[in-house]
Amino acid sequence: DTAVSQTPKYLVTQMGNDKSIKCEQNLGHDTMYWYKQDSKKFLKIMFSYNNKELIINETVPNRFSPKSPDKAHLNLHINSLELGDSAVYFCASSQDIGPYQAFFGQGTRLTVV
Amino acid sequence: RKEVEQDPGPFNVPEGATVAFNCTYSNSASQSFFWYRQDCRKEPKLLMSVYSSGNEDGRFTAQLNRASQYISLLIRDSKLSDSATYLCVVIPYNFNKFYFGSGTKLNVKP
C-alpha cells in the first residue's frame, strides 16, 4: 500500500488550461503539504494543511488553489497554466505540525507547452 | 539570504571513500533537523534525523553545530548505491514548515 499517493504522475498540458492534481495519504496523518520542485531541484513549500485547515500559504499565485475535503486528501487545482508552472509537484504528509518526518508522494511532473 | 544553504556539488568519490557534506541555516531558533535523500526522478525520503548530541546509523553520521548554525552528514565506506542528492531540512521553532536545502549531489564511482 502506498502511503502517500498522488495522481497523475505525468501531466502535459497547454498554456491557459486548468488542471488538478490529487493527493491521498493512508497514514492517519494530520498535516499535509504541497511542494514545488523546479528545474534547479529546489524544493519550496506552497501550502500546508492541518486537519483540513490551511496553515501555510506561501507567496503563490492565486491561480493555485488547494482544497482539503478531509484530512486524508489534499488536492491542488491550477487555473490558467503558464510555462513557468512546469515543475515537479510533491504532496507530503506528516504526523502533525512539529518535528516529525515528512512522507512524500511520488511527484507529479507537470509540463506546460 | 536563504533559510538553508548547501553546496550543490557534485561530489565525485570512489567506492569506499569517506565523504562529508555541510548545510548551514540562517535561523538560530531552528528546532529540528533532518537529512533526506532524493534519487533521480524520485521523491525525497528521510535518511536520518539530526540530534543535538549527534547520531549514527550504520555508515552515516549526522552532527549538529548550533553555535555555527550548521549540520553535517558523514558517509563512510561509500557504496555505488549511495549516489543520490542529499537534502538537509530545517524546521523552525514554530514548527510550521520544512525548509529544504537545494541538495548536494553525490556520485560514487567504481
Side-chain angles (χ1 to χ4, degrees):
Chain A
D1 276 346
T2 305
V4 181
S5 59
Q6 53 184 108
T7 55
K9 191 173 181 181
Y10 299 97
L11 188 52
V12 181
T13 188
Q14 290 188 323
M15 281 174 55
N17 283 351
D18 302 339
K19 290 293 178 185
S20 291
I21 308 172
K22 296 188 175 185
C23 179
E24 175 181 3
Q25 54 95 2
N26 63 5
L27 297 167
H29 287 170
D30 285 346
T31 307
M32 295 186 73
Y33 312 83
W34 277 110
Y35 278 84
K36 178 180 179 181
Q37 189 168 43
D38 59 27
S39 57
K40 295 183 178 177
K41 307 301 181 188
F42 184 56
L43 262 169
K44 187 169 182 189
I45 191 164
M46 301 173 69
F47 302 103
S48 172
Y49 272 72
N50 184 255
N51 277 314
K52 303 192 301 174
E53 296 214 6
L54 180 67
I55 55 170
I56 294 173
N57 183 348
E58 292 292 285
T59 309
V60 177
N62 58 16
R63 298 182 294 104
F64 290 78
S65 52
K67 187 167 285 188
S68 183
D70 56 63
K71 72 175 192 176
H73 295 84
L74 180 61
N75 304 322
L76 183 66
H77 187 76
I78 316 170
N79 289 326
S80 303
L81 278 154
E82 300 177 358
L83 294 176
D85 297 332
S86 296
V88 182
Y89 292 84
F90 285 101
C91 175
S93 74
S94 64
Q95 182 178 329
D96 203 340
I97 300 171
Y100 305 104
Q101 73 173 91
F103 293 81
F104 283 80
Q106 62 187 7
T108 295
R109 189 170 295 273
L110 171 66
T111 304
V112 183
V113 297
Chain B
R1 184 182 172 186
K2 287 183 182 173
E3 294 281 344
V4 182
E5 301 213 51
Q6 293 183 251
D7 180 345
F11 285 59
N12 297 308
V13 303
E15 269 187 292
T18 295
V19 61
F21 315 131
N22 279 349
C23 166
T24 58
Y25 59 94
S26 60
N27 186 344
S28 60
S30 296
Q31 288 290 333
S32 302
F33 308 88
F34 300 92
W35 282 103
Y36 277 70
R37 170 191 169 131
Q38 186 173 23
D39 292 298
C40 189
R41 301 178 79 86
K42 297 286 189 181
E43 72 274 21
K45 291 184 179 178
L46 179 71
L47 178 67
M48 59 196 303
S49 303
V50 185
Y51 302 127
S52 296
S53 55
N55 49 301
E56 191 173 304
D57 182 1
R59 298 180 293 108
F60 299 84
T61 300
Q63 298 276 0
L64 167 63
N65 186 318
R66 284 196 184 273
S68 300
Q69 293 181 213
Y70 73 86
I71 63 172
S72 63
L73 178 67
L74 179 79
I75 307 175
R76 288 180 298 278
D77 189 22
S78 300
K79 311 289 184 193
L80 294 176
S81 57
D82 293 335
S83 297
T85 297
Y86 291 83
L87 304 162
C88 71
V89 179
V90 173
I91 300 181
Y93 69 95
N94 55 359
F95 293 132
N96 64 353
K97 63 180 77 170
F98 294 78
Y99 287 109
F100 280 82
S102 54
T104 297
K105 189 169 173 59
L106 171 65
N107 294 318
V108 181
K109 310 234 181 243

